mmCIF file of all heavy atoms in Angstrom:
data_model
loop_
_atom_site.group_PDB
_atom_site.id
_atom_site.type_symbol
_atom_site.label_atom_id
_atom_site.label_comp_id
_atom_site.label_asym_id
_atom_site.label_seq_id
_atom_site.Cartn_x
_atom_site.Cartn_y
_atom_site.Cartn_z
ATOM 1 N N ALA A 1057 -94.820 -22.097 100.340
ATOM 2 C CA ALA A 1057 -93.753 -21.107 100.463
ATOM 3 C C ALA A 1057 -93.712 -20.287 99.185
ATOM 4 O O ALA A 1057 -94.041 -20.786 98.101
ATOM 5 C CB ALA A 1057 -92.405 -21.781 100.696
ATOM 6 N N LEU A 1058 -93.320 -19.030 99.305
ATOM 7 C CA LEU A 1058 -93.207 -18.144 98.148
ATOM 8 C C LEU A 1058 -91.748 -17.790 97.905
ATOM 9 O O LEU A 1058 -91.025 -17.430 98.839
ATOM 10 C CB LEU A 1058 -94.015 -16.862 98.366
ATOM 11 C CG LEU A 1058 -95.517 -17.021 98.592
ATOM 12 C CD1 LEU A 1058 -96.159 -15.651 98.833
ATOM 13 C CD2 LEU A 1058 -96.177 -17.713 97.411
ATOM 14 N N THR A 1059 -91.314 -17.865 96.662
ATOM 15 C CA THR A 1059 -89.995 -17.365 96.293
ATOM 16 C C THR A 1059 -90.108 -15.867 96.002
ATOM 17 O O THR A 1059 -91.187 -15.282 96.067
ATOM 18 C CB THR A 1059 -89.438 -18.098 95.063
ATOM 19 O OG1 THR A 1059 -90.314 -17.878 93.950
ATOM 20 C CG2 THR A 1059 -89.324 -19.590 95.324
ATOM 21 N N ASP A 1060 -88.991 -15.254 95.676
ATOM 22 C CA ASP A 1060 -88.990 -13.822 95.394
ATOM 23 C C ASP A 1060 -89.844 -13.504 94.175
ATOM 24 O O ASP A 1060 -89.797 -14.226 93.171
ATOM 25 C CB ASP A 1060 -87.564 -13.328 95.125
ATOM 26 C CG ASP A 1060 -86.676 -13.430 96.357
ATOM 27 O OD1 ASP A 1060 -87.228 -13.413 97.472
ATOM 28 O OD2 ASP A 1060 -85.447 -13.519 96.190
ATOM 29 N N PRO A 1061 -90.626 -12.431 94.214
ATOM 30 C CA PRO A 1061 -91.364 -12.004 93.017
ATOM 31 C C PRO A 1061 -90.400 -11.694 91.874
ATOM 32 O O PRO A 1061 -89.295 -11.210 92.095
ATOM 33 C CB PRO A 1061 -92.102 -10.746 93.490
ATOM 34 C CG PRO A 1061 -92.163 -10.867 94.979
ATOM 35 C CD PRO A 1061 -90.895 -11.570 95.380
ATOM 36 N N PHE A 1062 -90.841 -11.992 90.662
ATOM 37 C CA PHE A 1062 -90.004 -11.760 89.487
ATOM 38 C C PHE A 1062 -90.914 -11.400 88.327
ATOM 39 O O PHE A 1062 -92.118 -11.231 88.500
ATOM 40 C CB PHE A 1062 -89.164 -13.006 89.185
ATOM 41 C CG PHE A 1062 -87.923 -12.735 88.384
ATOM 42 C CD1 PHE A 1062 -86.902 -11.957 88.903
ATOM 43 C CD2 PHE A 1062 -87.770 -13.264 87.113
ATOM 44 C CE1 PHE A 1062 -85.756 -11.702 88.172
ATOM 45 C CE2 PHE A 1062 -86.633 -13.019 86.374
ATOM 46 C CZ PHE A 1062 -85.623 -12.229 86.904
ATOM 47 N N TYR A 1063 -90.371 -11.263 87.143
ATOM 48 C CA TYR A 1063 -91.199 -10.969 85.987
ATOM 49 C C TYR A 1063 -90.836 -11.907 84.841
ATOM 50 O O TYR A 1063 -89.696 -12.334 84.698
ATOM 51 C CB TYR A 1063 -91.049 -9.513 85.545
ATOM 52 C CG TYR A 1063 -89.728 -9.163 84.880
ATOM 53 C CD1 TYR A 1063 -89.615 -9.102 83.494
ATOM 54 C CD2 TYR A 1063 -88.584 -8.882 85.636
ATOM 55 C CE1 TYR A 1063 -88.413 -8.773 82.871
ATOM 56 C CE2 TYR A 1063 -87.379 -8.550 85.030
ATOM 57 C CZ TYR A 1063 -87.302 -8.492 83.647
ATOM 58 O OH TYR A 1063 -86.112 -8.174 83.046
ATOM 59 N N ASP A 1064 -91.849 -12.257 84.067
ATOM 60 C CA ASP A 1064 -91.591 -12.971 82.823
ATOM 61 C C ASP A 1064 -91.816 -12.000 81.668
ATOM 62 O O ASP A 1064 -92.237 -10.866 81.871
ATOM 63 C CB ASP A 1064 -92.451 -14.228 82.692
ATOM 64 C CG ASP A 1064 -93.919 -13.965 82.985
ATOM 65 O OD1 ASP A 1064 -94.311 -12.785 83.029
ATOM 66 O OD2 ASP A 1064 -94.671 -14.937 83.159
ATOM 67 N N VAL A 1065 -91.483 -12.432 80.478
ATOM 68 C CA VAL A 1065 -91.490 -11.531 79.335
ATOM 69 C C VAL A 1065 -92.718 -11.837 78.470
ATOM 70 O O VAL A 1065 -92.731 -12.817 77.720
ATOM 71 C CB VAL A 1065 -90.196 -11.659 78.510
ATOM 72 C CG1 VAL A 1065 -90.227 -10.713 77.312
ATOM 73 C CG2 VAL A 1065 -88.984 -11.362 79.388
ATOM 74 N N ASP A 1066 -93.737 -11.014 78.616
ATOM 75 C CA ASP A 1066 -94.984 -11.213 77.886
ATOM 76 C C ASP A 1066 -95.268 -10.103 76.882
ATOM 77 O O ASP A 1066 -95.833 -10.364 75.823
ATOM 78 C CB ASP A 1066 -96.171 -11.306 78.857
ATOM 79 C CG ASP A 1066 -96.169 -12.605 79.639
ATOM 80 O OD1 ASP A 1066 -95.773 -13.642 79.081
ATOM 81 O OD2 ASP A 1066 -96.565 -12.581 80.825
ATOM 82 N N VAL A 1067 -94.907 -8.867 77.239
ATOM 83 C CA VAL A 1067 -95.259 -7.716 76.404
ATOM 84 C C VAL A 1067 -94.021 -6.865 76.158
ATOM 85 O O VAL A 1067 -92.943 -7.119 76.704
ATOM 86 C CB VAL A 1067 -96.373 -6.872 77.071
ATOM 87 C CG1 VAL A 1067 -97.659 -7.684 77.196
ATOM 88 C CG2 VAL A 1067 -95.936 -6.362 78.436
ATOM 89 N N GLU A 1068 -94.188 -5.827 75.336
ATOM 90 C CA GLU A 1068 -93.058 -5.020 74.892
ATOM 91 C C GLU A 1068 -92.306 -4.387 76.052
ATOM 92 O O GLU A 1068 -91.067 -4.325 76.045
ATOM 93 C CB GLU A 1068 -93.558 -3.947 73.925
ATOM 94 C CG GLU A 1068 -92.449 -3.111 73.304
ATOM 95 C CD GLU A 1068 -92.986 -2.133 72.280
ATOM 96 O OE1 GLU A 1068 -94.205 -2.135 72.019
ATOM 97 O OE2 GLU A 1068 -92.165 -1.366 71.729
ATOM 98 N N SER A 1069 -93.026 -3.902 77.057
ATOM 99 C CA SER A 1069 -92.345 -3.262 78.187
ATOM 100 C C SER A 1069 -91.488 -4.262 78.960
ATOM 101 O O SER A 1069 -90.412 -3.904 79.469
ATOM 102 C CB SER A 1069 -93.361 -2.607 79.121
ATOM 103 O OG SER A 1069 -94.292 -3.562 79.622
ATOM 104 N N ASP A 1070 -91.934 -5.509 79.057
ATOM 105 C CA ASP A 1070 -91.127 -6.553 79.701
ATOM 106 C C ASP A 1070 -89.831 -6.778 78.922
ATOM 107 O O ASP A 1070 -88.750 -6.917 79.504
ATOM 108 C CB ASP A 1070 -91.891 -7.879 79.751
ATOM 109 C CG ASP A 1070 -93.176 -7.817 80.545
ATOM 110 O OD1 ASP A 1070 -93.243 -7.042 81.513
ATOM 111 O OD2 ASP A 1070 -94.113 -8.553 80.193
ATOM 112 N N LEU A 1071 -89.952 -6.803 77.608
ATOM 113 C CA LEU A 1071 -88.774 -7.041 76.777
ATOM 114 C C LEU A 1071 -87.790 -5.885 76.868
ATOM 115 O O LEU A 1071 -86.570 -6.089 76.888
ATOM 116 C CB LEU A 1071 -89.194 -7.270 75.329
ATOM 117 C CG LEU A 1071 -88.094 -7.712 74.370
ATOM 118 C CD1 LEU A 1071 -87.462 -9.021 74.817
ATOM 119 C CD2 LEU A 1071 -88.634 -7.852 72.950
ATOM 120 N N ALA A 1072 -88.307 -4.663 76.929
ATOM 121 C CA ALA A 1072 -87.431 -3.500 77.088
ATOM 122 C C ALA A 1072 -86.669 -3.575 78.401
ATOM 123 O O ALA A 1072 -85.472 -3.273 78.466
ATOM 124 C CB ALA A 1072 -88.264 -2.222 77.017
ATOM 125 N N ARG A 1073 -87.364 -3.992 79.451
ATOM 126 C CA ARG A 1073 -86.703 -4.138 80.756
ATOM 127 C C ARG A 1073 -85.623 -5.211 80.693
ATOM 128 O O ARG A 1073 -84.502 -5.011 81.184
ATOM 129 C CB ARG A 1073 -87.737 -4.494 81.818
ATOM 130 C CG ARG A 1073 -87.153 -4.750 83.199
ATOM 131 C CD ARG A 1073 -88.240 -5.065 84.204
ATOM 132 N NE ARG A 1073 -87.673 -5.364 85.512
ATOM 133 C CZ ARG A 1073 -88.380 -5.680 86.598
ATOM 134 N NH1 ARG A 1073 -89.707 -5.714 86.524
ATOM 135 N NH2 ARG A 1073 -87.782 -5.941 87.738
ATOM 136 N N LEU A 1074 -85.951 -6.344 80.085
ATOM 137 C CA LEU A 1074 -84.971 -7.424 79.966
ATOM 138 C C LEU A 1074 -83.756 -6.979 79.169
ATOM 139 O O LEU A 1074 -82.611 -7.247 79.557
ATOM 140 C CB LEU A 1074 -85.620 -8.633 79.301
ATOM 141 C CG LEU A 1074 -84.686 -9.809 78.993
ATOM 142 C CD1 LEU A 1074 -84.112 -10.389 80.271
ATOM 143 C CD2 LEU A 1074 -85.422 -10.882 78.195
ATOM 144 N N ALA A 1075 -83.979 -6.295 78.069
ATOM 145 C CA ALA A 1075 -82.868 -5.848 77.231
ATOM 146 C C ALA A 1075 -81.940 -4.923 77.997
ATOM 147 O O ALA A 1075 -80.712 -5.026 77.893
ATOM 148 C CB ALA A 1075 -83.412 -5.156 75.988
ATOM 149 N N ALA A 1076 -82.514 -4.002 78.772
ATOM 150 C CA ALA A 1076 -81.700 -3.083 79.565
ATOM 151 C C ALA A 1076 -80.872 -3.833 80.602
ATOM 152 O O ALA A 1076 -79.685 -3.525 80.818
ATOM 153 C CB ALA A 1076 -82.601 -2.050 80.240
ATOM 154 N N GLU A 1077 -81.469 -4.824 81.240
ATOM 155 C CA GLU A 1077 -80.750 -5.590 82.258
ATOM 156 C C GLU A 1077 -79.635 -6.439 81.644
ATOM 157 O O GLU A 1077 -78.537 -6.536 82.202
ATOM 158 C CB GLU A 1077 -81.722 -6.473 83.028
ATOM 159 C CG GLU A 1077 -82.697 -5.683 83.899
ATOM 160 C CD GLU A 1077 -83.667 -6.576 84.646
ATOM 161 O OE1 GLU A 1077 -83.552 -7.817 84.543
ATOM 162 O OE2 GLU A 1077 -84.547 -6.022 85.339
ATOM 163 N N LEU A 1078 -79.914 -7.025 80.481
ATOM 164 C CA LEU A 1078 -78.912 -7.887 79.868
ATOM 165 C C LEU A 1078 -77.769 -7.104 79.235
ATOM 166 O O LEU A 1078 -76.673 -7.643 79.061
ATOM 167 C CB LEU A 1078 -79.567 -8.807 78.834
ATOM 168 C CG LEU A 1078 -80.499 -9.877 79.396
ATOM 169 C CD1 LEU A 1078 -81.024 -10.766 78.287
ATOM 170 C CD2 LEU A 1078 -79.809 -10.716 80.461
ATOM 171 N N ARG A 1079 -77.990 -5.847 78.901
ATOM 172 C CA ARG A 1079 -76.862 -5.026 78.434
ATOM 173 C C ARG A 1079 -75.854 -4.837 79.552
ATOM 174 O O ARG A 1079 -74.653 -4.722 79.309
ATOM 175 C CB ARG A 1079 -77.370 -3.671 77.926
ATOM 176 C CG ARG A 1079 -77.960 -3.741 76.528
ATOM 177 C CD ARG A 1079 -78.026 -2.373 75.869
ATOM 178 N NE ARG A 1079 -78.992 -1.501 76.509
ATOM 179 C CZ ARG A 1079 -80.286 -1.444 76.178
ATOM 180 N NH1 ARG A 1079 -80.770 -2.218 75.230
ATOM 181 N NH2 ARG A 1079 -81.087 -0.597 76.794
ATOM 182 N N LEU A 1080 -76.323 -4.828 80.789
ATOM 183 C CA LEU A 1080 -75.433 -4.672 81.945
ATOM 184 C C LEU A 1080 -74.872 -6.007 82.424
ATOM 185 O O LEU A 1080 -73.768 -6.059 82.961
ATOM 186 C CB LEU A 1080 -76.188 -3.993 83.091
ATOM 187 C CG LEU A 1080 -76.677 -2.574 82.832
ATOM 188 C CD1 LEU A 1080 -77.503 -2.068 84.019
ATOM 189 C CD2 LEU A 1080 -75.499 -1.645 82.580
#
Side-chain angles (χ1 to χ4, degrees):
L1058 300 178
T1059 61
D1060 294 335
F1062 203 65
Y1063 72 99
D1064 49 14
V1065 180
D1066 288 325
V1067 296
E1068 185 176 358
S1069 59
D1070 299 328
L1071 188 59
R1073 177 179 178 180
L1074 175 63
E1077 292 179 3
L1078 292 183
R1079 281 199 292 272
L1080 297 176

